mmCIF file of all heavy atoms in Angstrom:
data_model
loop_
_atom_site.group_PDB
_atom_site.id
_atom_site.type_symbol
_atom_site.label_atom_id
_atom_site.label_comp_id
_atom_site.label_asym_id
_atom_site.label_seq_id
_atom_site.Cartn_x
_atom_site.Cartn_y
_atom_site.Cartn_z
ATOM 1 N N GLN A 191 -5.627 30.973 35.295
ATOM 2 C CA GLN A 191 -5.092 30.210 34.010
ATOM 3 C C GLN A 191 -5.546 28.736 34.048
ATOM 4 O O GLN A 191 -5.404 28.045 32.967
ATOM 5 C CB GLN A 191 -3.643 30.182 33.986
ATOM 6 C CG GLN A 191 -2.966 31.619 33.952
ATOM 7 C CD GLN A 191 -3.313 32.353 32.696
ATOM 8 O OE1 GLN A 191 -3.379 31.722 31.542
ATOM 9 N NE2 GLN A 191 -3.660 33.665 32.724
ATOM 10 N N GLY A 192 -6.051 28.229 35.156
ATOM 11 C CA GLY A 192 -6.583 26.942 35.284
ATOM 12 C C GLY A 192 -5.392 25.875 35.240
ATOM 13 O O GLY A 192 -5.574 24.745 34.804
ATOM 14 N N VAL A 193 -4.254 26.338 35.912
ATOM 15 C CA VAL A 193 -3.098 25.396 35.958
ATOM 16 C C VAL A 193 -2.728 25.271 37.514
ATOM 17 O O VAL A 193 -3.129 26.010 38.312
ATOM 18 C CB VAL A 193 -1.875 26.044 35.305
ATOM 19 C CG1 VAL A 193 -2.233 26.099 33.749
ATOM 20 C CG2 VAL A 193 -1.488 27.305 35.835
ATOM 21 N N SER A 194 -1.972 24.200 37.738
ATOM 22 C CA SER A 194 -1.570 23.978 39.151
ATOM 23 C C SER A 194 -0.467 25.002 39.511
ATOM 24 O O SER A 194 0.403 25.375 38.856
ATOM 25 C CB SER A 194 -0.883 22.543 39.177
ATOM 26 O OG SER A 194 -0.333 22.303 40.516
ATOM 27 N N ALA A 195 -0.561 25.413 40.822
ATOM 28 C CA ALA A 195 0.355 26.364 41.436
ATOM 29 C C ALA A 195 1.481 25.732 42.170
ATOM 30 O O ALA A 195 2.470 26.260 42.583
ATOM 31 C CB ALA A 195 -0.356 27.239 42.418
ATOM 32 N N GLN A 196 1.417 24.309 42.062
ATOM 33 C CA GLN A 196 2.503 23.492 42.749
ATOM 34 C C GLN A 196 3.841 23.576 41.987
ATOM 35 O O GLN A 196 3.904 23.306 40.758
ATOM 36 C CB GLN A 196 2.059 22.051 43.038
ATOM 37 C CG GLN A 196 3.100 21.329 44.025
ATOM 38 C CD GLN A 196 2.422 20.091 44.437
ATOM 39 O OE1 GLN A 196 1.262 19.779 44.211
ATOM 40 N NE2 GLN A 196 3.240 19.281 45.101
ATOM 41 N N LEU A 197 4.838 24.001 42.667
ATOM 42 C CA LEU A 197 6.218 24.084 42.022
ATOM 43 C C LEU A 197 6.963 22.744 42.053
ATOM 44 O O LEU A 197 6.754 21.966 43.110
ATOM 45 C CB LEU A 197 7.007 25.134 42.572
ATOM 46 C CG LEU A 197 6.543 26.525 42.494
ATOM 47 C CD1 LEU A 197 7.269 27.578 43.276
ATOM 48 C CD2 LEU A 197 6.324 26.980 41.083
ATOM 49 N N PRO A 198 7.796 22.446 41.037
ATOM 50 C CA PRO A 198 8.141 23.244 40.000
ATOM 51 C C PRO A 198 7.047 23.202 38.836
ATOM 52 O O PRO A 198 6.269 22.160 38.807
ATOM 53 C CB PRO A 198 9.408 22.583 39.430
ATOM 54 C CG PRO A 198 9.247 21.099 39.825
ATOM 55 C CD PRO A 198 8.597 21.119 41.167
ATOM 56 N N SER A 199 6.825 24.263 38.180
ATOM 57 C CA SER A 199 5.762 24.385 37.201
ATOM 58 C C SER A 199 6.345 25.003 35.891
ATOM 59 O O SER A 199 7.162 25.879 36.013
ATOM 60 C CB SER A 199 4.688 25.262 37.783
ATOM 61 O OG SER A 199 3.743 25.638 36.740
ATOM 62 N N GLU A 200 5.978 24.461 34.786
ATOM 63 C CA GLU A 200 6.377 24.977 33.538
ATOM 64 C C GLU A 200 5.849 26.369 33.160
ATOM 65 O O GLU A 200 6.351 27.081 32.296
ATOM 66 C CB GLU A 200 5.953 24.010 32.407
ATOM 67 C CG GLU A 200 6.651 22.585 32.464
ATOM 68 C CD GLU A 200 6.248 21.673 31.341
ATOM 69 O OE1 GLU A 200 5.245 22.115 30.529
ATOM 70 O OE2 GLU A 200 6.708 20.501 31.248
ATOM 71 N N THR A 201 4.816 26.748 33.879
ATOM 72 C CA THR A 201 4.135 28.031 33.696
ATOM 73 C C THR A 201 4.733 29.128 34.539
ATOM 74 O O THR A 201 4.292 30.343 34.438
ATOM 75 C CB THR A 201 2.629 27.923 33.858
ATOM 76 O OG1 THR A 201 2.423 27.486 35.180
ATOM 77 C CG2 THR A 201 1.935 27.007 32.861
ATOM 78 N N PHE A 202 5.551 28.829 35.440
ATOM 79 C CA PHE A 202 6.132 29.818 36.370
ATOM 80 C C PHE A 202 6.732 30.933 35.656
ATOM 81 O O PHE A 202 6.618 32.167 36.034
ATOM 82 C CB PHE A 202 7.216 29.147 37.336
ATOM 83 C CG PHE A 202 7.766 30.199 38.432
ATOM 84 C CD1 PHE A 202 6.960 30.492 39.520
ATOM 85 C CD2 PHE A 202 8.903 30.816 38.234
ATOM 86 C CE1 PHE A 202 7.356 31.337 40.360
ATOM 87 C CE2 PHE A 202 9.385 31.723 39.090
ATOM 88 C CZ PHE A 202 8.683 31.971 40.283
ATOM 89 N N GLU A 203 7.557 30.616 34.615
ATOM 90 C CA GLU A 203 8.247 31.647 33.832
ATOM 91 C C GLU A 203 7.234 32.646 33.143
ATOM 92 O O GLU A 203 7.438 33.884 32.961
ATOM 93 C CB GLU A 203 9.178 31.065 32.773
ATOM 94 C CG GLU A 203 10.303 30.340 33.361
ATOM 95 C CD GLU A 203 11.222 31.354 34.169
ATOM 96 O OE1 GLU A 203 11.407 32.560 33.756
ATOM 97 O OE2 GLU A 203 11.820 30.980 35.167
ATOM 98 N N ASP A 204 6.050 32.143 32.656
ATOM 99 C CA ASP A 204 4.970 32.978 32.107
ATOM 100 C C ASP A 204 4.455 33.917 33.138
ATOM 101 O O ASP A 204 4.287 35.086 32.839
ATOM 102 C CB ASP A 204 3.875 32.092 31.587
ATOM 103 C CG ASP A 204 4.276 31.136 30.528
ATOM 104 O OD1 ASP A 204 5.232 31.521 29.828
ATOM 105 O OD2 ASP A 204 3.633 30.061 30.337
ATOM 106 N N TRP A 205 4.295 33.509 34.430
ATOM 107 C CA TRP A 205 3.775 34.440 35.309
ATOM 108 C C TRP A 205 4.983 35.411 35.816
ATOM 109 O O TRP A 205 4.684 36.501 35.974
ATOM 110 C CB TRP A 205 3.399 33.685 36.648
ATOM 111 C CG TRP A 205 3.206 34.461 37.943
ATOM 112 C CD1 TRP A 205 2.087 35.320 38.047
ATOM 113 C CD2 TRP A 205 4.112 34.608 38.983
ATOM 114 N NE1 TRP A 205 2.299 36.008 39.224
ATOM 115 C CE2 TRP A 205 3.455 35.641 39.870
ATOM 116 C CE3 TRP A 205 5.279 34.178 39.364
ATOM 117 C CZ2 TRP A 205 4.006 36.039 41.073
ATOM 118 C CZ3 TRP A 205 5.892 34.537 40.556
ATOM 119 C CH2 TRP A 205 5.331 35.537 41.385
ATOM 120 N N TYR A 206 6.200 34.883 35.791
ATOM 121 C CA TYR A 206 7.273 35.714 36.304
ATOM 122 C C TYR A 206 7.451 36.968 35.237
ATOM 123 O O TYR A 206 7.752 38.027 35.580
ATOM 124 C CB TYR A 206 8.585 34.950 36.379
ATOM 125 C CG TYR A 206 9.742 35.703 36.934
ATOM 126 C CD1 TYR A 206 9.931 35.814 38.286
ATOM 127 C CD2 TYR A 206 10.562 36.490 36.000
ATOM 128 C CE1 TYR A 206 10.988 36.440 38.853
ATOM 129 C CE2 TYR A 206 11.657 37.150 36.719
ATOM 130 C CZ TYR A 206 11.848 37.207 38.037
ATOM 131 O OH TYR A 206 12.827 37.885 38.495
ATOM 132 N N ALA A 207 7.193 36.625 33.956
ATOM 133 C CA ALA A 207 7.296 37.728 32.934
ATOM 134 C C ALA A 207 6.319 38.795 33.151
ATOM 135 O O ALA A 207 6.498 39.929 32.800
ATOM 136 C CB ALA A 207 7.057 37.108 31.525
ATOM 137 N N THR A 208 5.183 38.525 33.880
ATOM 138 C CA THR A 208 4.223 39.600 34.166
ATOM 139 C C THR A 208 4.715 40.451 35.405
ATOM 140 O O THR A 208 4.073 41.473 35.719
ATOM 141 C CB THR A 208 2.888 39.062 34.524
ATOM 142 O OG1 THR A 208 2.886 38.311 35.825
ATOM 143 C CG2 THR A 208 2.447 38.026 33.473
ATOM 144 N N GLN A 209 5.706 39.961 36.037
ATOM 145 C CA GLN A 209 6.165 40.527 37.330
ATOM 146 C C GLN A 209 7.211 41.654 37.117
ATOM 147 O O GLN A 209 7.222 42.715 37.647
ATOM 148 C CB GLN A 209 6.673 39.584 38.271
ATOM 149 C CG GLN A 209 5.484 38.776 38.965
ATOM 150 C CD GLN A 209 4.668 39.431 39.887
ATOM 151 O OE1 GLN A 209 5.080 40.100 40.732
ATOM 152 N NE2 GLN A 209 3.360 39.432 39.666
ATOM 153 N N LEU A 210 8.186 41.304 36.369
ATOM 154 C CA LEU A 210 9.339 42.202 36.053
ATOM 155 C C LEU A 210 9.647 42.187 34.555
ATOM 156 O O LEU A 210 10.675 41.778 34.146
ATOM 157 C CB LEU A 210 10.469 41.829 36.797
ATOM 158 C CG LEU A 210 10.506 42.070 38.343
ATOM 159 C CD1 LEU A 210 11.744 41.577 38.998
ATOM 160 C CD2 LEU A 210 10.340 43.569 38.615
ATOM 161 N N PRO A 211 8.759 42.572 33.787
ATOM 162 C CA PRO A 211 8.944 42.638 32.312
ATOM 163 C C PRO A 211 10.075 43.494 31.757
ATOM 164 O O PRO A 211 10.593 43.232 30.739
ATOM 165 C CB PRO A 211 7.617 43.076 31.680
ATOM 166 C CG PRO A 211 6.945 43.934 32.744
ATOM 167 C CD PRO A 211 7.410 43.270 34.157
ATOM 168 N N ASP A 212 10.453 44.539 32.566
ATOM 169 C CA ASP A 212 11.440 45.396 32.057
ATOM 170 C C ASP A 212 12.734 45.329 32.859
ATOM 171 O O ASP A 212 13.771 46.093 32.744
ATOM 172 C CB ASP A 212 10.976 46.906 32.238
ATOM 173 C CG ASP A 212 9.681 47.120 31.440
ATOM 174 O OD1 ASP A 212 9.654 46.655 30.340
ATOM 175 O OD2 ASP A 212 8.858 47.923 31.958
ATOM 176 N N GLN A 213 12.824 44.332 33.750
ATOM 177 C CA GLN A 213 14.070 44.118 34.555
ATOM 178 C C GLN A 213 14.505 42.724 34.514
ATOM 179 O O GLN A 213 14.177 41.950 35.328
ATOM 180 C CB GLN A 213 13.778 44.538 36.073
ATOM 181 C CG GLN A 213 13.430 46.003 36.203
ATOM 182 C CD GLN A 213 13.234 46.445 37.701
ATOM 183 O OE1 GLN A 213 13.946 45.886 38.422
ATOM 184 N NE2 GLN A 213 12.326 47.309 37.849
ATOM 185 N N PRO A 214 15.289 42.390 33.498
ATOM 186 C CA PRO A 214 15.675 41.028 33.428
ATOM 187 C C PRO A 214 16.618 40.512 34.654
ATOM 188 O O PRO A 214 17.322 41.427 35.150
ATOM 189 C CB PRO A 214 16.567 41.002 32.146
ATOM 190 C CG PRO A 214 16.144 42.062 31.347
ATOM 191 C CD PRO A 214 15.615 43.083 32.286
ATOM 192 N N ASN A 215 16.456 39.397 35.131
ATOM 193 C CA ASN A 215 17.068 38.992 36.368
ATOM 194 C C ASN A 215 17.414 37.556 36.202
ATOM 195 O O ASN A 215 16.536 36.676 35.879
ATOM 196 C CB ASN A 215 16.249 39.216 37.568
ATOM 197 C CG ASN A 215 16.969 39.250 38.845
ATOM 198 O OD1 ASN A 215 17.664 38.262 39.151
ATOM 199 N ND2 ASN A 215 16.970 40.319 39.604
#
């Protein structure tokens, strides 16, 4: 994505959505 992987990151939730799209947590 061309973004920084250092946390906290505003894009973490975007990546997380690709991990468990059907299991809200």
Side-chain angles (χ1 to χ4, degrees):
Q191 300 296 318
V193 298
S194 172
Q196 190 166 352
L197 296 174
S199 170
E200 295 180 357
T201 58
F202 183 81
E203 292 299 323
D204 295 333
W205 170 74
Y206 189 87
T208 70
Q209 289 291 307
L210 288 177
D212 301 322
Q213 298 184 35
N215 194 304

